[in-house]
Amino acid sequence: MSGRWAINATTTPPLTPGSPWDVPKPVLFNTWKHHAAALRHRIGEFVRGGEAALQSLADELIVIGAKLMDLYTGAHSPAEIGRLVLEQLGRDGRLELEAFCDWVQAEGGYRMLTLPDDSAWVLRRGDEEDRYVHVHPGRWVPHTRRVRANVLKTAVMVLAVTGVRGGEPMERTLVNRVRQDYLGLAPVGRDLDGEQGLGEVIDLLRSANGPLRVWSSRGAR
């Protein structure tokens, strides 16, 4: 099929137990909202599911919500992010539930932590006892991009649809059809980059050779 883009069965292996996409407990990290490479991986899974999987993807995108968010674009996988956070907490004696909660509460309910790639992360208390270290990217820090929820949903859905059917993800008519058919959103104007950076987010998520590594259950490659 002409017009297919980079995400396909050869570049995004299936999710497997213990894979780089699995966030270790007790870390809570919403990769749908905050991890660009994980989104790319998920798009590839739904592309492999074909036409029948597209509506399921649209339903899954509800978890992204409707607000501004920060999307991590760096090279650490979700599993690495979780591991690095837990290692720092362990070294500082703040990994146990009570110690972690006391530490976070002492600073008004959140703390900042920096990883080796200079990305900065906000740590809060999660609601679940087995996922009490709630982690999300900081604002305006290295390796993150601030993005509106509907822009991110549109980019994900457009790339999935063109992955299944072919076509050019940057074509405005196609974008607006996807927004209407799957997301119930109003049409965008003439310039996709003028629509709160939609074109840039599409490019970020479809790039096969960009800053995001392609992951498998055996690690980065």
Side-chain angles (χ1 to χ4, degrees), residues 30-35 39 63-65 69-71 147 152:
N30 188 339
T31 56
W32 279 103
K33 297 172 66 173
H34 299 304
H35 200 286
L39 279 173
V63 301
I64 292 179
M69 65 198 69
D70 296 283
L71 187 66
V147 61
L152 187 59

Side-chain angles (χ1 to χ4, degrees), residues 21 23 39 48 93 96-97 104 112 115 129 138 155 159 185 198:
W21 312 108
V23 181
L39 279 173
R48 288 191 296 277
E96 297 303 317
L97 175 59
V104 168
M112 296 295 297
L115 297 187
E129 288 196 8
L159 290 172
L185 297 175
L198 175 56

Side-chain angles (χ1 to χ4, degrees), residues 96-211:
E96 297 303 317
L97 175 59
E98 184 175 356
F100 175 77
C101 293
D102 289 345
W103 177 62
V104 168
Q105 192 59 38
E107 196 63 26
Y110 75 94
R111 290 278 186 167
M112 296 295 297
L113 184 151
T114 301
L115 297 187
D117 66 350
D118 293 326
S119 60
W121 298 79
V122 179
L123 275 60
R124 302 179 186 274
R125 176 175 177 173
D127 294 332
E128 301 176 19
E129 288 196 8
D130 63 340
R131 295 281 186 184
Y132 58 84
V133 181
H134 186 185
V135 175
H136 61 85
R139 296 182 182 180
W140 312 116
V141 298
H143 310 300
T144 65
R145 191 193 193 286
R146 198 128 172 92
V147 61
R148 294 186 182 276
N150 286 341
V151 169
L152 187 59
K153 291 176 190 176
T154 299
V156 170
M157 204 67 225
V158 165
L159 290 172
V161 168
T162 54
V164 171
R165 302 175 184 170
E168 171 49 54
M170 301 293 283
E171 202 277 306
R172 185 170 60 90
T173 301
L174 186 152
V175 168
N176 285 335
R177 186 165 62 250
V178 168
R179 283 171 65 89
Q180 177 181 340
D181 292 349
Y182 289 101
L183 302 173
L185 297 175
V188 300
R190 293 183 178 181
D191 183 2
L192 294 190
D193 282 329
E195 294 294 333
Q196 303 163 341
L198 175 56
E200 292 181 9
V201 177
I202 290 174
D203 276 340
L204 172 67
L205 293 181
R206 72 170 172 172
S207 173
N209 301 309

Side-chain angles (χ1 to χ4, degrees), residues 39-118:
L39 279 173
R40 179 186 296 166
H41 176 89
R42 284 199 171 99
I43 295 167
E45 290 185 307
F46 282 94
V47 167
R48 288 191 296 277
E51 189 73 28
L54 294 176
Q55 186 57 55
S56 296
L57 174 58
D59 294 340
E60 292 279 0
L61 292 177
I62 293 173
V63 301
I64 292 179
K67 299 180 180 179
L68 277 166
M69 65 198 69
D70 296 283
L71 187 66
Y72 175 71
T73 62
H76 289 313
S77 72
E80 280 186 323
I81 291 167
R83 176 180 58 79
L84 290 167
V85 167
L86 294 178
E87 284 179 357
Q88 288 199 40
L89 292 176
R91 285 196 301 268
D92 296 337
R94 296 169 178 145
L95 183 55
E96 297 303 317
L97 175 59
E98 184 175 356
F100 175 77
C101 293
D102 289 345
W103 177 62
V104 168
Q105 192 59 38
E107 196 63 26
Y110 75 94
R111 290 278 186 167
M112 296 295 297
L113 184 151
T114 301
L115 297 187
D117 66 350
D118 293 326

